[in-house]
Amino acid sequence: MDGRQPALDLLGEDGPVMRRTPLVVALVVVAALTAGCTSGDSSDPGADASTPIPSASGSPSADGSASPSASPSSTVVPATPAPRPARRACYRLGYADAVAPTTEVAAVDCARRHTSLTFRVGTVDAVVDGHLLAVDSRHVQDDIAAQCPAALDTFLGGTEDDRRLSMLRTVWFSPSIEQSDEGGNWFRCDVIALAGNEKLAPLTGRVAGALGRDGWQDRFGMCGTTDPQDADFERVICARRHAWRAIATIDAKGRDYPGAASLRGSGKAACEDPARAVAPDPLTVTWSYEPPTRAQWRSGQHYGICWVPTT
């Protein structure tokens, strides 16, 4: 089973939010991967049908004598499901941890350095038309992929434009197949901040409602190392060194991708007013427009981004 996931989006690669490709339903038992703060018992409650069941008197043998009772050590103990993750728990995830479908990284004290915060824990919807689906089925994974981004909007606050212009994203985790077989039926939504290309930034201060408070742009805003039209442009969080800052988004019309050249022409003109509003000298204004790529358009990003220099 392919456990890898697409890279977290930097609004220049794969789309506006973290998206996970649904996993293929596997018919083999994979090695157990723990999730959240604890690890599950990997024993299988019905693994060995030949295990003798203890009795008080034993059972008759072929010659009529009683056979010895099974020893207590042979008793099959039902597996205990791994506990549900705790809401508002903090973790020190690396980038590879964040894009994995399951996690075994243990929680840390939220007063210590951390890169993710669990803002929602939900229950997997695995029953369709009376049939129980595997945790890695398309239906289950698509449902989680819809719920976590929607819940993130409420958790962060702010406007739609604020959320588009921040480097805060959501990632999500579900039980491994083995944990699901043992009764694990949860999913976990975490918020993370992208520091740059395949890097996570520490989460500092209060994150809940962060985009509804003044000053969030300096902590979690989207910035760039140079003009987004330059070949060596890198998108970075504004808490890092930067030379350009994203200030507004411009919605594009239509269902079909109109092409980068067409989008650039209309978007560049639309960026003038937002750029002039933040310019130190409204008579001398510099700005740049970044249209969505064809891949981003397919993934649902039907808007471009206005940028201004900060130096």
Side-chain angles (χ1 to χ4, degrees):
M1 180 179 66
D2 181 7
R4 300 299 301 164
Q5 304 297 333
L8 282 169
D9 169 63
L10 286 176
L11 290 179
E13 297 167 3
D14 301 315
V17 296
M18 169 62 189
R19 298 181 183 276
R20 295 176 181 272
T21 302
L23 306 178
V24 178
V25 178
L27 297 182
V28 296
V29 178
V30 298
L33 297 176
T34 57
C37 310
T38 59
S39 60
D41 184 344
S42 60
S43 61
D44 185 345
D48 187 358
S50 65
T51 303
I53 300 175
S55 65
S57 59
S59 57
S61 63
D63 60 3
S65 62
S67 61
S69 299
S71 66
S73 62
S74 65
T75 303
V76 177
V77 179
T80 301
R84 290 169 69 91
R87 188 167 173 267
R88 300 301 175 94
C90 296
Y91 300 85
R92 190 177 297 176
L93 300 181
Y95 181 83
D97 301 316
V99 298
T102 62
T103 178
E104 58 182 0
V105 178
V108 299
D109 187 333
C110 290
R112 296 171 54 193
R113 180 184 174 93
H114 59 279
T115 57
S116 84
L117 168 69
T118 299
F119 64 91
R120 182 170 183 223
V121 178
T123 299
V124 168
D125 177 16
V127 179
V128 176
D129 296 331
H131 299 287
L132 182 63
L133 303 179
V135 70
D136 61 352
S137 68
R138 180 177 295 274
H139 172 84
V140 170
Q141 293 297 315
D142 282 355
D143 183 58
I144 299 172
Q147 291 199 51
C148 288
L152 182 69
D153 291 350
T154 301
F155 178 74
L156 294 178
T159 66
E160 182 180 44
D161 214 39
D162 291 335
R163 294 187 289 271
R164 289 175 175 179
L165 295 174
S166 85
M167 294 291 274
L168 294 169
R169 302 286 185 272
T170 181
V171 292
W172 48 88
F173 306 97
S174 54
S176 66
I177 292 177
E178 188 167 87
Q179 288 176 327
S180 177
D181 289 344
E182 294 169 355
N185 65 345
W186 49 263
F187 66 88
R188 168 183 140 197
C189 308
D190 283 18
V191 59
I192 55 99
L194 292 170
N197 186 30
E198 298 192 358
K199 296 184 180 109
L200 300 188
L203 292 179
T204 58
R206 186 183 175 200
V207 182
L211 301 188
R213 296 191 292 271
D214 293 338
W216 67 264
Q217 294 91 342
D218 294 334
R219 293 170 56 206
F220 301 124
M222 181 187 299
C223 287
T225 55
T226 185
D227 187 324
Q229 303 303 318
D230 293 346
D232 58 349
F233 167 78
E234 181 184 358
R235 201 178 313 273
V236 296
I237 196 167
C238 290
R240 295 179 62 186
R241 185 175 180 179
H242 59 274
W244 285 68
R245 178 166 58 94
I247 60 166
T249 62
I250 303 298
D251 288 321
K253 297 179 180 179
R255 296 181 57 187
D256 298 328
Y257 185 63
S262 175
L263 287 167
R264 190 173 288 110
S266 60
K268 190 171 182 181
C271 283
E272 181 177 357
D273 286 345
R276 195 174 299 280
V278 300
D281 181 359
L283 299 179
T284 305
V285 183
T286 301
W287 71 91
S288 185
Y289 174 72
E290 181 187 11
T293 64
R294 186 178 297 275
Q296 289 172 340
W297 189 275
R298 284 198 301 264
S299 71
Q301 183 193 328
H302 293 185
Y303 62 87
I305 302 173
C306 300
W307 294 80
V308 295
T310 57
T311 56

